[in-house]
């Protein structure tokens, strides 16, 4: 059987995730510390787990509506209004998905015709470019850099727009850089987009992990709600990665088509997970999201510790204002991003992710997650410092 002949060439040509490579090695390496996976080290709060257990005990194990339960959608609507001043009708403008990742796929497949272009800030999350390709589109990188604090500028977007541009992915707070977009940057971007028919896919999964201010959604700006698909979920803010619970909020005209894809491919998100998510939002509203505030305070302390740690070892390190990653510049070591990560793992048993996993412009950087336990982060910084000192001196 000639598998190369029968398997879709487009899929064959897409490389595997640059993140998972190091995860797989670390899983078999004794005493290794992984700063590679973007997953909270916190366990899902017990009251959320208990809601899922109760759902099972009560026999709530059947399909829900394709849209998700109306109770959960009402909680999502209340949460979005309370936290981000965004209003969506739970009846037909909110869809519960299997993680925010499904939401990305639904948005792209709903919008794209073969050959349509999608603007994607670079560096950014590894799934965007392959997702565009899977949907028949053409990913177009828009480079961001340290000089602009890794923000997406209106001029950079304007320079990449062509008659084939269909959408812009706006992933802020950003993975891997930790950059955020202040309102002034969003307003400048909106000024460019309002003259076009370009849709915005705003991935706001890290919205609750903003330090020093409240997250601002581009959907709030005048004229932008009608051209924005907002993606969010429970993985990061509620420490629910394995539950795979997400949601999409957008105008009903677009949502009607997204639901078609969802109902034929997924049908619905797991009922037990929906009950857990409902609990997370309901109790969160009652106690002013105390679980989120607690985790954010811990992340903030780790964030400052990591930035200072890299600077103390002589590396330039942009200060992230969101998510739970630092993105230090490792060029002083003389290694490429991949060489740095390979040798660090081999010599010091610490796993980071090469910046190139997030696009070519990530060369010269590595991504380190501070979603690991604080004591592990301290040990990791000590090991990285030994490694860096050795090679900076040698250079």
């Amino acid at each position: 059987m000639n598998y190369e002949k029968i398997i879709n060439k487009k899929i064959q040509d897409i490389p595997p995730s640059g993140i998972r490579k190091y995860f797989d090695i670390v899983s078999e390496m004794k005493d290794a510390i992984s700063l590679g996976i973007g997953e909270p080290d916190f366990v899902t709060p017990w009251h959320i787990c208990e809601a899922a257990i109760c759902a099972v005990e009560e026999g709530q194990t059947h399909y829900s509506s394709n849209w998700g339960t109306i109770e959960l959608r009402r909680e999502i609507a209340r949460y979005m209004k309370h936290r981000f001043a965004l209003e969506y009708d739970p009846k037909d403008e909110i869809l519960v998905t299997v993680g925010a990742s499904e939401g990305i796929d639904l948005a792209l497949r709903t919008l794209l015709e073969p050959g349509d272009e999608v603007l994607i800030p670079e560096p950014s999350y590894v799934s965007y470019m392959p997702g565009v390709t899977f949907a028949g589109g053409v990913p177009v990188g828009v480079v961001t850099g340290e000089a602009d604090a890794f923000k997406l500028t209106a001029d950079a977007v304007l320079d990449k727009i062509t008659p084939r541009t269909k959408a812009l992915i706006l992933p802020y707070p950003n993975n891997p850089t930790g950059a955020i977009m202040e309102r002034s940057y969003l307003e400048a971007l909106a000024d460019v987009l309002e003259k076009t028919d370009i849709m915005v896919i705003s991935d706001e999964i890290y919205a609750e992990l903003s330090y020093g201010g409240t997250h601002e959604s581009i959907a709030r700006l005048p004229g932008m709600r009608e051209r924005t698909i907002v993606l969010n979920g429970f993985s990061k803010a509620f420490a629910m990665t394995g539950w795979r619970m997400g949601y999409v909020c957008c105008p009903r005209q677009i949502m009607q088509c997204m639901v078609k894809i969802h109902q034929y491919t997924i049908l619905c998100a797991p009922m037990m997970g929906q009950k857990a998510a409902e609990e997370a939002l309901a109790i969160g509203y009652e106690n002013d999201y105390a679980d989120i505030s607690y985790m954010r305070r811990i992340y903030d302390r780790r964030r400052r510790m990591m930035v200072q740690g890299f600077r103390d070892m002589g590396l330039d390190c942009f200060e992230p204002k969101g998510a739970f990653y630092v993105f230090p510049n490792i060029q002083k070591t003389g290694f490429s991003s991949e060489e740095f990560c390979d040798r660090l793992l081999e010599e010091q048993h610490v796993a980071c992710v090469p910046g190139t996993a997030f696009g070519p412009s990530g060369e010269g950087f590595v991504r380190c997650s501070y979603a690991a336990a604080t004591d592990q982060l301290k040990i990791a910084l000590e090991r990285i410092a030994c490694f860096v000192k050795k090679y900076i001196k040698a250079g």
Side-chain angles (χ1 to χ4, degrees):
M1 179 66 73
N2 185 348
Y3 291 113
E4 287 190 8
K5 184 177 180 180
I6 64 173
I7 296 174
N8 186 321
K9 179 96 168 41
K10 181 170 59 178
I11 309 303
Q12 291 187 58
D13 290 345
I14 291 177
S17 167
I19 297 176
R20 303 307 298 189
K21 167 188 172 181
Y22 295 92
F23 177 83
D24 293 339
I25 295 174
V26 165
S27 66
E28 299 178 1
M29 181 179 286
K30 187 177 180 181
D31 85 344
I33 297 175
S34 177
L35 307 182
I37 301 299
E39 179 172 36
D41 63 309
F42 298 101
V43 176
T44 305
W46 172 246
H47 68 94
I48 298 174
C49 298
E50 193 171 35
I53 294 169
C54 288
V56 174
E57 291 177 340
E58 293 170 2
Q60 298 185 57
T61 57
H62 302 284
Y63 296 132
S64 75
S65 159
N66 295 138
W67 296 81
T69 67
I70 189 61
E71 293 83 8
L72 175 54
R73 284 180 281 144
R74 285 171 180 156
E75 289 294 344
I76 292 170
R78 181 169 69 167
Y79 168 78
M80 294 296 283
K81 182 177 181 179
H82 179 66
R83 299 296 273 184
F84 309 117
L86 293 172
E87 294 194 40
Y88 293 96
D89 189 334
K91 179 182 176 183
D92 56 8
E93 292 187 320
I94 296 174
L95 173 66
V96 180
T97 59
V98 180
S101 295
E102 189 206 347
I104 296 168
D105 182 55
L106 291 177
L108 292 170
R109 287 204 276 169
T110 297
L111 296 177
L112 300 186
E113 300 279 1
D116 283 345
E117 295 175 354
V118 179
L119 306 184
I120 305 172
E122 188 189 302
S124 63
Y125 182 48
V126 297
S127 291
Y128 299 137
M129 289 197 175
V132 170
T133 302
F134 294 156
V138 178
V140 178
V142 184
V143 174
T144 66
E146 284 181 290
D148 291 309
F150 293 104
K151 294 175 173 61
L152 183 64
T153 66
D155 287 342
V157 169
L158 185 60
D159 187 55
K160 293 291 186 176
I161 291 175
T162 76
R164 297 305 305 266
T165 306
K166 179 64 75 69
L168 164 70
I169 294 178
L170 191 64
Y172 290 89
N174 182 266
N175 170 13
T177 65
I180 62 170
M181 291 280 283
E182 288 94 352
R183 187 180 180 91
S184 60
Y185 279 82
L186 294 175
E187 289 173 338
L189 199 54
D191 287 343
V192 169
L193 296 174
E194 70 178 0
K195 304 176 182 68
T196 73
D197 290 321
I198 296 171
M199 288 293 300
V200 177
I201 302 172
S202 186
D203 186 350
E204 303 183 20
I205 191 68
Y206 292 100
E208 289 285 8
L209 300 181
S210 296
Y211 311 103
T214 303
H215 170 73
E216 186 88 43
S217 175
I218 196 170
R220 281 195 63 196
L221 300 184
M224 290 306 297
R225 184 189 185 280
E226 66 191 36
R227 63 166 71 242
T228 302
I229 298 170
V230 177
L231 310 175
N232 210 324
F234 297 83
S235 292
K236 313 302 182 180
F238 295 94
M240 293 177 66
T241 51
W243 297 81
R244 307 311 303 131
M245 295 301 303
Y247 53 92
V248 180
C249 302
C250 69
R252 58 179 53 84
Q253 294 91 335
I254 295 175
M255 186 64 81
Q256 288 168 359
C257 291
M258 295 182 75
V259 170
K260 291 180 186 178
I261 302 171
H262 176 73
Q263 67 185 186
Y264 284 121
T265 57
I266 299 297
L267 200 147
C268 68
M271 174 60 86
M272 297 74 75
Q274 291 192 57
K275 299 306 289 187
E278 182 186 335
E279 168 76 8
L281 293 179
I283 298 302
Y285 183 81
E286 291 176 8
N287 65 19
D288 198 24
Y289 303 96
D291 291 333
I292 292 175
S293 296
Y294 169 74
M295 287 187 278
R296 185 169 50 235
R297 286 195 300 272
I298 301 298
Y299 287 138
D300 192 20
R301 288 202 289 269
R302 295 173 181 175
R303 175 183 72 94
R304 289 181 273 113
M305 179 183 76
M306 292 292 284
V307 170
Q308 192 60 50
F310 280 107
R311 290 175 176 175
D312 286 346
M313 64 182 78
L315 297 181
D316 296 327
C317 188
F318 159 76
E319 182 182 355
K321 295 295 181 68
F324 41 54
Y325 308 103
V326 290
F327 203 57
N329 186 322
I330 51 85
Q331 294 180 51
K332 290 179 181 178
T333 65
F335 293 130
S336 70
S337 295
E338 189 159 353
E339 289 170 337
F340 182 96
C341 291
D342 287 346
R343 296 191 67 156
L344 177 63
L345 185 56
E346 178 185 347
E347 296 181 24
Q348 293 291 338
H349 292 192
V350 176
C352 303
V353 181
T356 47
F358 308 96
S361 65
E363 182 58 80
F365 299 85
V366 298
R367 189 194 77 172
C368 301
S369 169
Y370 50 87
T374 302
D375 60 339
Q376 291 289 288
L377 293 176
K378 289 179 179 178
I379 296 171
L381 283 172
E382 291 172 359
R383 294 182 183 180
I384 297 171
C386 289
F387 177 82
V388 168
K389 183 178 180 181
K390 173 181 176 182
Y391 289 105
I392 284 183
K393 276 191 171 183

